[in-house]
Amino acid sequence: MEKWPDNKAWLLVLPVFVIVAFSAIIPLLTVINYSVQDIFGPGQSVFVGVDWFREMLQDYRLREALWRQFLFSGLVLIIEIPLGVLIALAMPKRGWKASAALVTLALPLLIPWNTIGTIWIIFTRPDIGLLGAVINNLLGIPFDHTASPLDAWITVMLMEVWHWTPLVALLAYSGLRAIPEAYYQAARIDGASAWSTFLYVQLPKMRGVLTIAFLLRFMDSFLIYAEPFVLTGGGPGNSTTFLSLYLVKIALLQFDLGPGAAFSLIYFIIVLLFSFIFYQALQRVGKGETV
Amino acid sequence: MKVRKRSIALGIYYFLLLLPIYWMLNMSLRTNASILATFSLFPTDFTLENYIKIFTDASWYMGYVNAIIYVGMNTVISLTVALPAAYAFSRYQFVGDKQMFFWLLTNRMAPAAVFALPFFQLYSSVGLLDTHIAVALAHCLFNVPLSVWILEGFMSGVPREIDETAFIDGYSLPRFFITIFIPLIKAGVGVTAFFCFMFSWVELLLARTLTVTNAKPISAIMTRTISATGLDYGLLAAAGILTILPGALVIWFVRNYMAKGFALGRV
C-alpha cells in the first residue's frame, strides 16, 4: 500500500526536528570546530586543519582500542542475540508467571550504568564477592580481573551479557507474542517440526524487533563506557581499554580537546557507517523472507 | 519432556540473573565493617543502617527525587513530540522522509565523552545549567528518535482504512488522532514510555555534566561514597538496590503491553 504523498506532514515532524536539532547540531558543530584547532586556553587557539585527524589515524593505541572494540561488539552480538531469542522462546506465555518473568527480566536494565560496574566489583572480589569466592576458593582456580587480562575480559563479557541480554529477550518476546495462534495451527497441520516452525514462522515475524535489538546492541556496545570504567578502569594494562575509555583518556584526562574532538568524529563516523550497513542489510533480509 | 528441559534451563538463567542482585541486597543489609571482615551468604548481623542513612540524609534522597523529576519530564516530552512525528512517518510520504528518519537514529551514535563539553557550554549559555529541564532536554537527543522508531512500528500495524473511514465521517486529524488512534496503539505508548524511562534513568555522563547540586541524580551522587578509607560497600549497595525500584514499578504497569505485542506493526 502506497503512503499518502503530502509535504504538510513536515509540520508533524517539526517539533521532533527542533527538539533533537537543539541538542544535536550545536554540539556537533562545536566538536567539529575543536577538531581543526589547537587549543591552549580560553580564546587561544590556532587553526591546524586536518592535523589532528592525521595524528589520530596514525595512533597505534587508537587502532588497538578499535580492534578491541570490534572484538567486544562482535562477541556481544554473537552471544546476546541468540541467547535472547532462546530465552524469549522458553518464557511462560500467560498468567502470573509471564508477568513475573517479564518484570524480573527487566531488572538489570533499570540499574544506572555506573552502579552496574559497582555491583560486579562487589560480586567478583575474591574476598567479599560471591562469584570471586566461588571460583577462587571453592573451585580453586585463581581468578582475578585486576591482574589477568583474560579474566578481565571474561568478567566484562559476563557483566555485559548479564546486563543487556534481557533487552534482546524482551524485544524478541514481544515479537513472539504478536504472532496469531492461527499461524501455529497452520504449521501443525503441515506437520512442521519445531525447528521449521521457528525458521519459517517465528523468525520472520521477529524480524522487526530483532532489527531494533541488533542495532541498539551494536550502537550501545560500541559506545560502552561507564561499566568497564568502573569495573576494570580499562586494565589490567590496556587490555579492556575500549574506544570510549581511550577517548576519555585523551580528551578529558590529558585535556587535549583538539585530538579528542577529531577522535570523536572518527568514532562517530565508524558507528554511523556500520549502523547504516546493518540497517540496510537487515531491511533487505526482511524483504527476502516475507515474499 | 522437552518442555521440562526448557523450563529447567530457563530456571537456571533466572537464578544467574538474580544472583548479582541478591548479592547486592545481601551487602546492603550489612555494615561495611562486617562486609569486609567475614564472607557470608546471608546478612549475618542484619542492619537497616544503610537505608536509614539514605532516607534521612537530604543529599542522598534528593538524588532520587531529582532523577525521577527529569526522567518524568523526559518521558512526557519524548512521547508528546514523537507521537505526531511517528504518525507522519507511518502515513505520509514527504520530501526527505527517509533521510530524516535515519538522521534521527544517528543521534544515538555519537560518543558522549567529548560531546558533553559543548553540551555544558550550550546549556549554560541559555541559563539552564543545573536544572531538571536541561537534563530532560539533553536526554531527548537519544530518547526522541527511539520513541519515533518504536511508535512508527506500532502505527504501521494499524490499517489505514481506519484513518480513511474516520476522515470520511468528518473527524479532523487532531480529533481522530487523540480520540481514536492513540487508544488503538496504547500498547505502543506504554512500551515507548518504559524505554524512555529506562534509558533516561540509567544515563550518567550527560546528567552528571549538566547538574551541579540542585538537579544532581542519584547515579552521580553514588560516586561520593569513595572516601579516604575506601568504598563504603554497604551504603553503595543500599543505594544501588533503591535505584532498581522506580523502574521495576514502571515495568509492572506496562507488563501487559509488553506481553501483548511490541511488534504489532513490525511483523
Side-chain angles (χ1 to χ4, degrees), chain A residues 1-10 12-13 15-17 19-28 30-31 34 83 87 89-93 99-115 118-123 125-130 133 161-162 164-167 170-171 173-175 177-179 194 204-209 211-212 215-216 219-220 223 225-226 244 247-248 251-252 255 257 260-261 264-265 267-268 271-272 275-276 279 283, chain B residues 2 6 10 13-14 16-24 27 35-36 39 41 77 81-82 84-85 87-96 100-115 117-119 121-123 126 128 137-138 140-141 144-146 148-150 152 159-161 163-164 167 173 194-195 197-199 201-205 218-220 222-223 231 233 236-237 240 243-244 247-248 251-252 255-256 258-264 266-267:
Chain A
M1 196 161 55
E2 280 297 303
K3 291 183 181 177
W4 307 315
D6 187 350
N7 282 329
K8 281 203 288 280
W10 257 103
L12 298 173
V13 182
V16 160
F17 178 75
I19 212 160
V20 174
F22 175 73
S23 294
I25 290 175
I26 295 173
L28 181 63
T30 315
V31 171
Y34 289 158
L83 186 62
I87 293 162
L89 285 170
M91 272 166 66
K93 284 165 189 63
S99 299
L102 272 173
V103 176
T104 316
L105 191 65
L107 290 180
L109 299 173
L110 299 163
I111 306 169
W113 293 342
N114 55 338
T115 314
T118 311
I119 293 178
W120 279 80
I121 288 182
I122 297 178
F123 193 55
R125 264 182 66 152
D127 52 346
I128 63 168
L130 184 60
V161 168
W162 173 81
W164 284 111
T165 306
L167 180 84
L170 275 182
L171 288 167
Y173 182 74
S174 55
R177 291 288 71 74
I179 301 174
K205 288 284 173 191
M206 281 194 286
R207 185 197 92 229
V209 283
T211 303
I212 295 184
L215 282 171
L216 278 183
M219 294 177 204
D220 292 350
L223 297 166
Y225 174 73
S244 268
L247 173 63
V248 170
L252 302 183
F255 216 75
L257 270 182
S264 293
L265 291 172
Y267 198 159
F268 178 51
V271 182
L272 188 70
S275 299
F276 183 74
Y279 184 72
Q283 298 237 315
Chain B
K2 216 176 102 221
R6 197 180 262 197
L10 192 70
Y13 173 76
Y14 270 93
L16 296 175
L17 178 85
L18 286 172
L19 220 48
I21 297 174
Y22 167 73
W23 201 246
M24 189 161 66
M27 295 279 159
I35 291 170
L36 294 172
F39 179 87
L41 289 178
I77 297 171
V81 298
Y87 184 79
F89 284 118
S90 110
R91 292 317 200 232
Y92 298 103
Q93 197 186 356
F94 49 95
V95 176
M100 177 77 185
F101 197 70
F102 194 77
W103 172 74
L104 282 175
L105 295 182
T106 60
N107 288 300
R108 252 198 112 75
M109 303 172 192
V114 167
F115 282 81
L117 186 65
F119 262 90
Q121 294 169 334
L122 173 67
Y123 281 91
V126 290
L128 285 176
L137 280 176
C140 280
L141 185 65
V144 166
L146 186 68
V148 172
W149 198 10
I150 297 174
E152 192 267 339
R160 249 170 292 174
E161 283 77 12
D163 309 38
E164 280 161 352
F167 295 146
L173 178 61
F194 169 71
F195 272 81
F197 182 95
M198 180 188 106
F199 280 116
W201 181 255
V202 297
E203 202 279 338
L204 173 70
L205 208 67
I218 184 62
S219 48
M222 281 174 70
T223 50
L231 288 170
Y233 286 109
L236 208 56
T243 59
I244 306 181
I251 189 145
W252 180 258
R255 68 187 189 282
N256 289 325
M258 277 289 190
K260 269 187 199 130
F262 184 90
L264 276 177
R266 292 240 148 235
V267 292

Side-chain angles (χ1 to χ4, degrees), chain A residues 143-159:
Chain A
F143 184 90
D144 185 0
H145 67 74
T146 58
S148 146
L150 182 65
D151 294 355
W153 264 84
I154 292 173
T155 314
V156 172
M157 279 313 297
L158 275 177
M159 173 176 72

Side-chain angles (χ1 to χ4, degrees), chain A residues 8-76:
Chain A
K8 281 203 288 280
W10 257 103
L11 291 175
L12 298 173
V13 182
L14 201 62
V16 160
F17 178 75
V18 170
I19 212 160
V20 174
F22 175 73
S23 294
I25 290 175
I26 295 173
L28 181 63
L29 292 179
T30 315
V31 171
I32 292 175
N33 191 26
Y34 289 158
S35 73
V36 291
Q37 297 189 56
D38 196 352
I39 301 161
F40 309 111
Q44 291 175 289
S45 56
V46 200
F47 181 79
V48 294
V50 295
D51 282 6
W52 296 134
F53 288 91
R54 202 174 295 138
E55 190 184 310
M56 282 294 114
L57 287 171
Q58 283 165 354
D59 183 348
Y60 74 96
R61 279 164 304 180
L62 189 150
R63 256 176 283 162
E64 278 176 11
L66 183 64
W67 293 125
R68 221 172 274 138
Q69 190 65 64
F70 275 120
L71 178 63
F72 179 75
S73 289
L75 285 172
V76 162

